[in-house]
Amino acid sequence: MPARHLHIAAEVPEEIREGIAHLRESLEVPEAFPDAVLAQVRERVASGPLDLGERRDLTAIGFVTIDPEGSMDLDQAMFIERAAEGANGAAFTVWYAIADVAAWVAPGGAIDVEAHRRGQTFYAPNERIPLHPSEVSEQAASLLDDGTPRPALVWKIELDAQGNQVTGTVVRATVRSRERLSYVQVQGWLDAGTAPEWAQLLREVGTLRQRLEAARGGVSLNLPEQEITTDERGWHISYRAPLPVEDWNAQISLLTGMAAAKIMLDGGVGILRTLPPAEPSAVERLRRTARSLHIDWPTDMGYPDFVRSLDVSQPTHLAMMTACTALFRGAGYTLVAAGVDPATVQHGALAANYAHTTAPLRRLVDRYVGEICVHLCAGTAVPRWTLDALSALPDEMRDSDSRAKKFERGNVDLVEALVMSQRVGQVFAAVVVELDQKSGGTVSIEHPAIEARLKADGLELGSEVSVRLESVDLVAGKVVLSRV
């Protein structure tokens, strides 16, 4: 499920910090790394990367990283060029280097065991709880632009003039990142007409991939970042709309995940990210949410086209896009078996076969997908440590995803409670977007754009109601409404 990041543009209030601490404890979200892990990290960094066999020297490729400002855990570096004329009809070559975490994490060691316990990086307002210690995720394994050659898994994906994949392979290699760039920088170059050719090709290829996604009935969500600000009138919630380059960059990651899925399906071994088709009731709930936000959703327009019609410069549309993550519920991980029908293991929202493989510094399963693909492409045996871990990975990632989603939802509740904290007693217009078996349901308030529980009899789906904010508990992230 897409993650929603929160940023508080001020000192995080003590009540919110206390609420986050309670969330961590209740969900068993790890905090400090055990001493044994830190000791092994120091030993591994001092010794250098593990010898995993032959690596191609690809340091001549002009890789760059593009991430949010200030990021240090750099999983991916890219370079795009026009393909040389050849018999396969390729028009573009996408080079995508992914941090080779296996070079720094010995199977069965303390770092590996702790990574399996965590599963992924967890995010809270203005902080994160990482999958690996920073000496690995932000230094040794990160694809930093410090001139140091670094181990990576390098994808070479060729595309035709319409953006369709022609070839897709991955090799173990050594790379050197040229620049650590931010989305704002690259977007600025493109807008000013001063962008280097690789950035212009990122826009061209990204746009082509977006068109293909629409044509197959898929949709991807690049969620806005919620920002909480304060002034003399109190706390306020706003959204930072993603830049176009963020969506184009996301398409390169999706392309690589689809290439990985094909390799594993062809090889009869691996693990895919899967999602069942959306239930009609879930889509209908989103239609009610759109109504509550006064967003037009024609009855003859499907969900993918509706999402693409949203104008992310409008706060209510951004809130709507966040609500659309509900259709990603039910996503999981499915093991690949020989002879499986690809149509039965698709990602329903993307309308394609897909695997997580481009974020191994932040998500456990990606390390295993990369390892499987690099050996299948080389025609060598997949390592026993990888195969032995596969059967448990779906459950491990399911449990980690569950904690991460609850942690994210809890953090959203905390910041929304913060925004509402100075509005106790006020009356708001709301729409009933969900009912439950108990007395009450969920209502959506347009200003500020939040959802909250309402205990009341006689609620009807889609009906407009007036609600009063009775109380706010900042530590619990709970708002209490009553029907007026």
Side-chain angles (χ1 to χ4, degrees):
M1 180 171 155
R4 176 164 42 166
H5 295 171
L6 301 161
H7 175 70
I8 299 180
E11 183 178 352
V12 180
E14 176 60 32
E15 296 92 339
I16 299 298
R17 290 199 297 270
E18 186 178 346
I20 293 172
H22 285 174
L23 275 174
R24 279 181 168 171
E25 182 177 358
S26 65
L27 296 173
E28 298 182 351
V29 174
E31 196 163 359
F33 285 93
D35 290 341
V37 174
L38 298 177
Q40 192 171 89
V41 165
R42 288 191 293 269
E43 179 183 348
R44 172 48 50 209
V45 172
S47 302
L50 294 163
D51 183 2
L52 300 177
E54 181 182 356
R55 289 186 181 276
R56 289 185 58 187
D57 183 353
L58 297 181
T59 54
I61 296 176
F63 285 111
V64 301
T65 60
I66 314 174
D67 292 274
E69 186 72 41
S71 296
M72 294 294 290
D73 52 343
L74 311 180
D75 295 281
Q76 315 112 5
M78 75 164 63
F79 183 72
I80 305 178
E81 60 185 346
R82 296 199 182 277
E85 292 187 14
N88 64 6
F92 308 97
T93 300
V94 175
W95 298 92
Y96 210 36
I98 307 301
D100 191 354
V101 175
W104 302 100
V105 179
I111 310 172
D112 184 38
V113 171
E114 182 65 15
H116 276 265
R117 185 170 79 92
R118 295 178 179 232
Q120 62 190 282
T121 294
F122 295 79
Y123 294 91
N126 299 12
E127 66 172 318
R128 60 189 184 84
I129 300 96
L131 174 63
H132 304 100
S134 61
E135 292 86 349
V136 171
S137 62
E138 297 186 357
Q139 297 176 41
S142 180
L143 301 180
L144 298 168
D145 60 336
D146 57 6
T148 303
R150 296 177 186 272
L153 301 182
V154 177
W155 289 85
K156 180 183 179 183
I157 304 175
E158 294 180 298
L159 307 175
D160 65 20
Q162 289 73 47
N164 297 291
Q165 179 183 324
V166 177
T167 65
T169 59
V170 58
V171 298
R172 193 156 251 134
T174 301
V175 302
R176 186 170 58 242
S177 177
R178 299 299 197 272
E179 289 185 274
R180 180 163 63 102
L181 303 170
S182 70
Y183 292 120
V184 173
Q185 282 177 282
V186 178
Q187 189 66 57
W189 292 345
L190 290 166
D191 293 343
T194 59
E197 184 180 29
W198 67 261
Q200 297 177 45
L201 292 176
L202 171 60
R203 174 173 56 192
E204 186 172 348
V205 169
T207 300
L208 289 171
R209 294 298 300 181
Q210 287 173 323
R211 291 173 183 167
L212 290 173
E213 181 178 82
R216 67 174 184 268
V219 62
S220 53
L221 296 178
N222 193 6
L223 291 181
E225 181 181 75
Q226 280 184 301
E227 184 171 60
I228 312 302
T229 57
T230 185
D231 58 24
E232 66 279 0
R233 294 179 292 112
W235 293 92
H236 312 282
I237 189 169
S238 61
Y239 297 86
R240 184 194 67 80
L243 297 168
V245 70
E246 294 179 70
D247 291 327
W248 301 325
N249 190 58
Q251 286 294 326
I252 302 303
S253 180
L254 292 172
L255 166 68
T256 308
M258 293 175 194
K262 184 179 188 307
I263 289 170
M264 291 187 293
L265 285 166
D266 290 346
V269 60
I271 181 169
L272 303 180
R273 183 63 164 169
T274 54
L275 177 69
E279 293 289 340
S281 60
V283 177
E284 182 56 35
R285 182 184 186 280
L286 287 180
R287 286 187 176 274
R288 292 193 295 272
T289 301
R291 177 184 171 186
S292 75
L293 295 172
H294 304 290
I295 300 173
D296 182 41
W297 185 346
T299 56
D300 60 349
M301 178 183 286
Y303 165 74
D305 288 335
F306 171 69
V307 172
R308 278 186 283 272
S309 74
L310 294 175
D311 178 1
V312 294
S313 66
Q314 298 183 40
T316 54
H317 283 223
L318 288 172
M320 185 69 225
M321 185 173 288
T322 301
C324 287
T325 61
L327 292 196
F328 282 73
R329 293 170 187 163
Y333 294 90
T334 302
L335 297 179
V336 173
V340 65
D341 181 359
T344 65
V345 286
Q346 281 201 342
H347 190 289
L350 298 176
N353 296 119
Y354 175 65
H356 277 157
T357 192
T358 63
L361 292 176
R362 291 166 283 170
R363 193 169 47 216
L364 175 66
V365 69
D366 299 50
R367 172 165 36 119
Y368 289 89
V369 171
E371 198 68 23
I372 292 167
C373 289
V374 79
H375 282 279
L376 289 176
C377 286
T380 54
V382 177
R384 175 51 54 187
W385 66 264
T386 303
L387 296 175
D388 288 346
L390 269 185
S391 61
L393 267 179
D395 287 342
E396 288 179 318
M397 292 307 303
R398 180 200 64 211
D399 293 344
S400 179
D401 280 346
S402 177
R403 280 188 296 160
K405 291 171 187 175
K406 290 176 182 176
F407 190 60
E408 176 190 311
R409 181 63 251 176
N411 279 288
V412 170
D413 288 344
L414 286 169
V415 298
E416 290 182 347
L418 177 65
V419 169
M420 300 292 281
S421 61
Q422 295 181 323
R423 304 187 182 200
V424 174
Q426 292 184 19
V427 174
F428 301 88
V431 172
V432 180
V433 294
E434 188 173 25
L435 297 177
D436 59 31
Q437 294 178 348
K438 300 178 181 179
S439 176
T442 300
V443 298
S444 175
I445 297 172
E446 181 176 359
H447 298 294
I450 70 166
E451 288 187 357
R453 291 277 301 126
L454 173 64
K455 288 188 177 181
D457 295 325
L459 296 180
E460 296 181 3
L461 285 175
S463 64
E464 297 181 359
V465 294
S466 294
V467 297
R468 177 181 289 108
L469 178 60
E470 299 291 351
S471 64
V472 173
D473 185 336
L474 286 179
V475 175
K478 181 179 180 181
V479 300
V480 177
L481 301 175
S482 65
R483 187 172 184 179
V484 177

